[in-house]
Amino acid sequence: MYTDVFTQLGLAKNEARIYETLLTEGEIGVGEISTKSKVHRRNVYDSLNRLIEKGLVFEIRGPKENHYKPVNPNKFSEMLAEKEHALAKIMPQLQARYTGRPHANEVYIYRGIEGWKNYLNDMLRVGQPIYTLGAKGTLSNPKLKTDFEQFVIDAKAKKIEFRLLCDNSLLHNREFLALFDKNYRFLPKKYETGSTIDIFGDHVVIFSGLEGINFDEEASFTVIINKQIADSLRTWFQLIWVASDQIPAHRETLPDRQIYPSFDFIN
C-alpha cells in the first residue's frame, strides 16, 4: 500500500515491503517477514541489515529466534531533514560552480511531468518577464495543478510579469486567464497551432503536440539558452502584440470580463 512512497523516500523495493510488513505486524521473526512481505527468505536478511543501518528497524534477540521491529515512521522526516541540511550546506558552492560555467548557448530536452516542473522552476529562477506565443492554458491541466498553483504564488512574490498571445480556444478558460490581469490577447482562430513558445531572459522553450490543456506525459519539449535567439523572438512577439491594437478586429467578451481584441492579418 505504501511501498511506492517508501521507495521514493530512498528504500529499495524489498526494504519497503519489509518495513511496511513490520509496521502492520509489529515484532516478528524472519520466517513471518518473508511470508507476509513476499520477499524470499535469503533476501530478507540483507534487507533487514540495511534497514537496521538506516535506523528504521531494530533487532530483538531471543533464545531461539531473533525478532525485528520497526521504529516510528517519523524517522523518515528526520532522514529527509538531514538530507536537506546537508544539501543546504553545499548549495552555495554548487550554485557558484553552476553560474561560474558559461551557459551562453545550450540546447536540451525536458520530458514528462518532471520536465514540466523543471520548466516552471526555470522561469522562477530566471525571474524575467515571460512572453508566451500560442498560449493554450496547458498549465491548468489537473496533472500540473498543484505545481502550477505554487508557481503562480512564487511568480507573484517575485513580481514576474506575463504577456500572453493566446489561441482563440482559450477564450473561455476564465479561471486561467484571470491569473494574468488582462496581460493577454488572442490570435485569430485560423492561426492556432499545436505548438507554444515561451521566451524569458535568455531562454526559449518550444512545446509541440499540445491540444488545449491536454498533453502527452511522455512528450518532450526543447529548451534553448541563447540570448540572441531570445531577443529576436521577443522582438517578433512585440510586433504581433502591437499589431493586435493597430489592426481593426472584433472584440470578444466573457461574462463580467472584457477581453482584448483578436486580430487578423489576412482576410
Side-chain angles (χ1 to χ4, degrees), residues 212-231:
I213 69 169
N214 298 314
F215 63 93
D216 180 354
E217 283 192 36
E218 297 305 313
S220 60
F221 47 97
T222 304
V223 181
I224 301 171
I225 302 179
N226 183 294
K227 186 177 185 301
Q228 185 176 20
I229 292 175
D231 287 344

Side-chain angles (χ1 to χ4, degrees), residues 32-246:
E32 280 189 87
I33 292 173
S34 177
T35 300
K36 294 181 182 298
S37 67
K38 298 180 181 179
V39 175
H40 195 283
R41 188 182 182 103
R42 67 170 175 267
N43 295 325
V44 168
Y45 288 103
D46 288 339
S47 296
L48 281 170
N49 286 333
R50 288 194 294 270
L51 287 168
I52 291 170
E53 289 174 2
K54 292 173 181 177
L56 289 167
V57 169
F58 60 92
E59 185 179 29
I60 302 172
R61 296 188 177 275
K64 294 183 179 179
E65 181 186 20
N66 294 341
H67 282 198
Y68 297 86
K69 190 172 181 178
V71 303
N72 192 303
N74 281 335
K75 181 66 177 178
F76 284 109
S77 297
E78 295 176 14
M79 292 166 62
L80 289 174
E82 289 171 0
K83 290 179 180 179
E84 289 177 1
H85 179 67
L87 179 59
K89 285 179 65 176
I90 64 170
M91 185 56 70
Q93 294 93 325
L94 297 179
Q95 288 288 355
R97 289 191 182 186
Y98 180 79
T99 56
R101 184 170 62 88
H103 293 274
N105 297 285
E106 292 185 358
V107 178
Y108 49 89
I109 302 295
Y110 281 153
R111 189 184 306 277
I113 295 296
E114 293 304 314
W116 284 89
K117 293 179 182 180
N118 288 338
Y119 149 70
L120 292 173
N121 288 332
D122 284 347
M123 288 191 286
L124 292 173
R125 177 177 53 79
V126 173
Q128 297 296 312
I130 298 166
Y131 301 83
T132 301
L133 178 60
K136 295 168 176 56
T138 310
L139 289 171
S140 61
N141 186 291
K143 297 172 185 176
L144 299 169
K145 180 179 174 60
T146 301
D147 296 287
F148 180 54
E149 287 176 349
Q150 186 59 51
F151 166 77
V152 171
I153 293 170
D154 294 340
K156 286 183 178 179
K158 288 177 172 283
K159 298 182 179 179
I160 296 175
E161 298 179 4
F162 294 84
R163 283 195 180 184
L164 282 69
L165 285 166
C166 307
D167 279 3
N168 208 260
S169 58
L170 194 52
L171 269 168
H172 300 293
N173 192 337
R174 290 181 293 167
E175 184 177 356
F176 180 79
L177 292 172
L179 298 171
F180 300 100
D181 194 27
K182 296 188 179 180
N183 290 320
Y184 52 83
R185 300 178 183 179
F186 288 90
L187 298 166
K189 186 172 180 60
K190 65 181 178 180
Y191 294 114
E192 290 188 6
T193 69
S195 298
T196 296
I197 298 175
D198 274 348
I199 310 126
F200 51 95
D202 57 358
H203 284 54
V204 175
V205 184
I206 304 173
F207 303 84
S208 61
L210 303 181
E211 296 181 11
I213 69 169
N214 298 314
F215 63 93
D216 180 354
E217 283 192 36
E218 297 305 313
S220 60
F221 47 97
T222 304
V223 181
I224 301 171
I225 302 179
N226 183 294
K227 186 177 185 301
Q228 185 176 20
I229 292 175
D231 287 344
S232 298
L233 283 168
R234 239 185 316 267
T235 298
W236 298 331
F237 180 97
Q238 294 290 6
L239 168 66
I240 302 172
W241 183 269
V242 172
S244 70
D245 270 346
Q246 296 175 345

